[in-house]
Amino acid sequence: MVGISQNKMEKPNIILIVMDSVRYDHMPLYGYSKNITPNIDEFAKDAAVFENAFTTSNWTLPTHSSIFTGLYPSQHNVNSMDSILGKDILTIAEILQKEGYETISVIMNPWLGKGFGLDKGFSAVDDVAEKSHFFIKAYYKLLKTFGFLGRAFLINYIAKKHVDDCLKKEKPFFLFLNYMDAHYKFEPPVPYRSKYLPNGISYGQIKKASVIEHEHNDGKKAISKEDLDNIKLLLDASIEYLDFEISRLFNFLKEKGIFDNTLVI
């Protein structure tokens, strides 16, 4: 899905968003029955929506290597946990950096850090899981402990700081955001999880089931249909929260007066 600006400026800002682990069949945009992404659906009305798009792999490293290079895993050869994207393979960040863009990656996923070559071309790689934004991380952890915030809040906070810096420099930016809220371990804030929890089922019970599901994917344990259905409810809660945070990012861009000159993918 690509939001196309009507502004004809020479170099639009570009934001590439990955909603990590969000399933095609849990998006109302593609026919899901529950209205869990109203903001993304509204955005899609003025966007180019792709209905025949497929991932190149089922896990982070080869998939993002393909996103950044436009190559199949058989071409970029990033297929295993010890793979590193080759220095001779050109990435979209490198191309845009040469065109005068500030290139920024804001992540909370270790596979996207500097150890695997996916930092190539980025002038800043901000891994908020490791970076020492001490006070905001302490504030985030406190509120997260009580169920008031999800991981997307922290991604957005850091992303906004980078956007403000780019505006001060008067340079166009390429901003890559990897949101992990719909990824295991499913930790939506209280208002969202409470909305979806079945009667008589606690959040702790579903969290425990999600651990079993994770082990089930590794072929270690079996999981019941009831547990799997409950985990999907937690997934829906996580997606709805992520939709809210993405709308907050869009509103920030509008307040800064740059939304209409920003290509959102």
Side-chain angles (χ1 to χ4, degrees):
M1 180 168 57
V2 181
I4 304 174
S5 168
Q6 299 302 313
N7 195 305
K8 301 300 183 182
M9 288 181 65
E10 183 180 352
K11 290 183 178 180
N13 305 306
I14 302 169
I15 300 179
L16 173 59
I17 294 174
V18 169
M19 300 163 61
D20 210 299
S21 299
V22 171
R23 294 167 58 107
Y24 175 96
D25 60 358
H26 278 249
M27 293 288 288
L29 181 64
Y30 296 109
Y32 191 46
S33 60
K34 296 180 182 178
N35 183 30
I36 59 175
T37 56
N39 297 295
I40 291 174
D41 294 347
E42 185 65 27
F43 169 77
K45 291 178 181 178
D46 295 317
V49 178
F50 297 89
E51 297 181 342
N52 196 37
F54 299 88
T55 182
T56 59
S57 181
N58 65 346
W59 68 290
T60 301
L61 196 52
T63 300
H64 283 76
S65 295
S66 292
I67 291 172
F68 287 172
T69 66
L71 301 174
Y72 288 107
S74 59
Q75 296 171 299
H76 58 59
N77 292 316
V78 182
N79 297 302
S80 63
M81 293 184 178
D82 58 355
S83 297
I84 299 175
L85 187 65
K87 294 181 179 180
D88 59 328
I89 298 178
L90 197 63
T91 68
I92 183 64
E94 289 176 301
I95 293 170
L96 291 173
Q97 192 174 55
K98 290 177 182 177
E99 292 297 320
Y101 278 77
E102 287 289 309
T103 52
I104 305 139
S105 173
V106 183
I107 59 175
M108 197 180 280
N109 187 330
W111 294 107
L112 300 176
K114 298 178 180 179
F116 301 97
L118 295 184
D119 60 319
K120 279 168 23 80
F122 286 106
S123 53
V125 177
D126 219 333
D127 186 344
V128 298
E130 299 177 358
K131 196 89 166 141
S132 57
H133 302 282
F134 178 77
F135 291 108
I136 186 60
K137 284 187 72 174
Y139 174 71
Y140 161 75
K141 286 182 178 180
L142 176 64
L143 293 182
K144 180 176 176 290
T145 299
F146 291 98
F148 294 113
L149 289 177
R151 287 175 278 186
F153 168 84
L154 195 54
I155 292 287
N156 278 354
Y157 177 85
I158 303 303
K160 290 174 184 178
K161 291 178 69 69
H162 282 293
V163 170
D164 281 335
D165 288 343
C166 291
L167 292 178
K168 290 176 184 176
K169 295 176 183 178
E170 298 184 343
K171 292 186 66 176
F173 61 82
F174 169 58
L175 176 63
F176 169 67
L177 304 175
N178 178 269
Y179 291 107
M180 294 286 285
D181 295 80
H183 191 285
Y184 171 83
K185 308 174 178 179
F186 310 123
E187 297 174 322
V190 168
Y192 295 89
R193 71 177 75 151
S194 299
K195 179 178 177 179
Y196 286 91
L197 285 176
N199 290 332
I201 302 293
S202 71
Y203 175 60
Q205 286 174 282
I206 300 182
K207 282 284 290 179
K208 184 177 180 180
S210 72
V211 174
I212 296 173
E213 187 264 345
H214 195 62
E215 294 174 341
H216 170 74
N217 290 342
D218 291 336
K220 297 177 181 177
K221 287 189 178 181
I223 187 169
S224 69
K225 183 181 184 303
E226 180 183 4
D227 280 343
L228 190 58
D229 288 342
N230 287 336
I231 293 167
K232 288 180 180 179
L233 293 176
L234 211 54
L235 172 64
D236 285 345
S238 301
I239 294 173
E240 185 169 331
Y241 168 67
L242 183 50
D243 176 78
F244 166 72
E245 287 290 358
I246 288 175
S247 75
R248 291 184 64 207
L249 176 68
F250 289 171
N251 288 336
F252 166 78
L253 298 173
K254 292 172 184 177
E255 290 167 4
K256 294 293 180 179
I258 59 174
F259 185 78
D260 289 337
N261 191 46
T262 300
L263 178 66
V264 180
I265 306 169

